[in-house]
């Protein structure tokens, strides 16, 4: 019993200690001119869906949930956002060359088609981020149109 | 009752602790990745330095430099071909390995001997191709093939600018993803998009050189 107590104490101390390692928050008040929604004519439904389902990890501004203040959840989120932004940042859309826009759109279409995006770990908590069959169809069609117009 | 409480809290803390540790492991991996990248880029750095020495040695004459750059392009092409062969053989690991090699060859590509306009185009091509090579380095087979399609388009456009002295064939598969191209050194059709499933699907679209 004594050993268990000691182990518990160690874990408690460890848990408290890791709370002192803050993360760098992905937050920005301004939307740059290069933003996807600014440079393209995007229907309102699509715009909303992109903001709800994609922008948390694929832009310079994340709406953080309450548990993002608690470690180790915060690290987990930080990693995902970093990775997501490196892959595609909707805020920097117009900085991409046409060739890369084309590649990105192709990836967007494929990932939505295959239900790979949004990530399951994200939709688990953000239920409204999930794509219905109709929304999927609409989004893919829009992205394909945009690709053809490049 | 007290025992139960203690056990539950220990379990809860153990869980939290373990998650924390696994997270840290994840970070570590990322770091070692970074370390590898730096190593690679430092190698490239040497590569560039060599190129610069050439510049200093022979400023009036640019041939040395452009020769070195032609061999850079040759290297990229050679890596692309091993990637293609791995996909023909439906060998995911070999394709991933070839993807990584191609990625570093692309990152080291020196394009300074081309005109400003060509450089701009090449930069776009290389940026895009590098990303595809990177993904091929860490994806499953079907994803590798998806990325290979766009990568092939990049390579075709690159060769159109840089030229290449070896004989190559531009192949076309009408079935994969609404029609897809690839490059090959041999005339015989060996389909990288389907492998043994449909090895002979496709035709020579164009001869290069």
């Amino acid at each position: 019993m004594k050993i268990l107590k000691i182990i518990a104490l160690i874990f408690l101390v460890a848990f408290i200690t890791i709370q002192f390692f803050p993360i760098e928050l992905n937050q920005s008040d301004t939307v740059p001119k290069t933003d996807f929604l600014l440079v393209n004519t995007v229907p309102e439904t699509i715009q909303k869906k992109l903001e709800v389902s994609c922008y948390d990890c694929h832009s310079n501004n994340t709406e953080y949930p309450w548990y993002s203040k608690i470690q180790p959840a915060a690290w987990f989120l930080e990693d995902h956002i970093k990775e997501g932004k490196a892959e595609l940042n909707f805020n920097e859309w117009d900085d991409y060359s046409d060739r890369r826009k084309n590649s990105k759109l192709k990836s967007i279409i494929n990932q939505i088609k295959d239900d790979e995006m949004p990530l399951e770990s994200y939709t688990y908590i953000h239920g409204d981020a999930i794509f219905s069959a109709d929304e999927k169809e609409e989004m893919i069609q829009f992205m394909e149109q945009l690709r053809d117009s490049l | 009752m007290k025992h139960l409480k203690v056990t539950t809290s220990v379990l809860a803390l153990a869980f939290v602790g373990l998650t924390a540790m696994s997270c840290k492991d994840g970070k570590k991996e990322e770091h070692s990745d970074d370390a590898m990248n730096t190593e690679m880029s430092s190698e490239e750095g040497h590569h560039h330095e060599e190129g610069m020495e050439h510049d200093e040695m022979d400023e009036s004459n640019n041939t040395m430099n452009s020769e070195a750059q032609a061999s850079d392009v040759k290297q990229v092409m050679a890596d692309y071909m091993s990637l293609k062969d791995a996909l023909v053989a439906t060998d995911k690991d070999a394709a991933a390995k070839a993807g990584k090699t191609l990625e570093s060859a692309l990152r080291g590509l020196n394009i300074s001997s081309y005109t400003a306009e060509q450089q701009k185009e090449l930069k776009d091509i290389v940026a895009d191709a590098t990303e595809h090579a990177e993904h091929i380095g860490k994806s499953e087979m079907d994803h590798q093939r998806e990325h290979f399609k766009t990568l092939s388009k990049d390579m075709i456009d690159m060769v159109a600018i840089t030229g290449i002295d070896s004989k190559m064939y531009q192949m076309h598969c009408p079935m994969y993803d609404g029609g897809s191209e690839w490059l090959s050194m041999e005339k015989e059709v060996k389909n990288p998009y389907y492998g043994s499933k449909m090895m002979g699907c496709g035709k020579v679209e164009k001869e290069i050189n």
Side-chain angles (χ1 to χ4, degrees), chain B residues 113-130:
Chain B
S113 75
Y114 299 95
T115 67
E117 204 179 318
Q118 286 174 325
Q119 280 190 35
K120 190 179 168 290
E121 185 75 29
L122 281 171
K123 243 187 220 157
D124 289 349
I125 292 173
V126 170
D128 194 62
T130 310

Side-chain angles (χ1 to χ4, degrees), chain A residues 87 99-100 103-104 106, chain B residues 128 131 135 154 157 177:
Chain A
E87 204 61 59
R99 183 177 291 271
R100 283 187 87 195
S103 283
K104 301 282 176 204
K106 200 169 162 51
Chain B
D128 194 62
E131 225 170 46
H135 276 109
D154 289 339
D157 293 345
D177 193 23

Side-chain angles (χ1 to χ4, degrees), chain A residues 57-69:
Chain A
C57 293
H58 294 291
S59 83
N60 297 332
N61 191 36
T62 305
E63 274 181 40
Y64 284 95
W66 62 269
Y67 57 82
S68 71
K69 305 224 164 35

Side-chain angles (χ1 to χ4, degrees), chain A residues 1 4-5 7-9 11-12 15 18 71-72 75-76 78-79 82-83 86-87 97-104 106-107 110-111 114 116 147, chain B residues 2-3 6 10 13-14 16-21 23-24 26-27 30 121 124-125 127-128 131-132 135 138 143 146-147 149-150 153-154 157 177:
Chain A
M1 209 53 239
L4 280 184
K5 261 191 193 160
I7 293 174
L9 201 68
F11 274 116
L12 188 66
F15 181 69
I18 61 172
Q71 298 290 20
W75 284 329
F76 183 73
E78 193 186 23
D79 272 1
K82 235 191 219 161
E83 218 178 291
E87 204 61 59
S97 65
D98 278 0
R99 183 177 291 271
R100 283 187 87 195
K101 280 180 190 162
N102 184 60
S103 283
K104 301 282 176 204
K106 200 169 162 51
S107 299
N110 282 339
Q111 303 241 344
D114 300 345
E116 283 171 53
R147 205 174 146 220
Chain B
K2 206 184 157 204
H3 279 231
V6 174
V10 167
L13 284 168
V16 171
L18 280 174
T19 352
M21 276 196 274
C23 257
K24 269 190 192 150
K27 285 219 152 173
E30 207 179 89
E121 185 75 29
D124 289 349
I125 292 173
D128 194 62
E131 225 170 46
H132 291 296
H135 276 109
K138 57 182 183 199
H143 272 174
E146 269 173 26
H147 286 292
K149 173 179 171 150
T150 335
K153 171 89 174 60
D154 289 339
D157 293 345
D177 193 23

Side-chain angles (χ1 to χ4, degrees), chain B residues 73-86:
Chain B
V73 172
K74 237 181 179 168
Q75 187 55 50
V76 166
M77 246 333 132
D79 292 337
Y80 168 85
M81 289 302 167
S82 16
L83 169 60
K84 188 245 336 166
D85 291 338

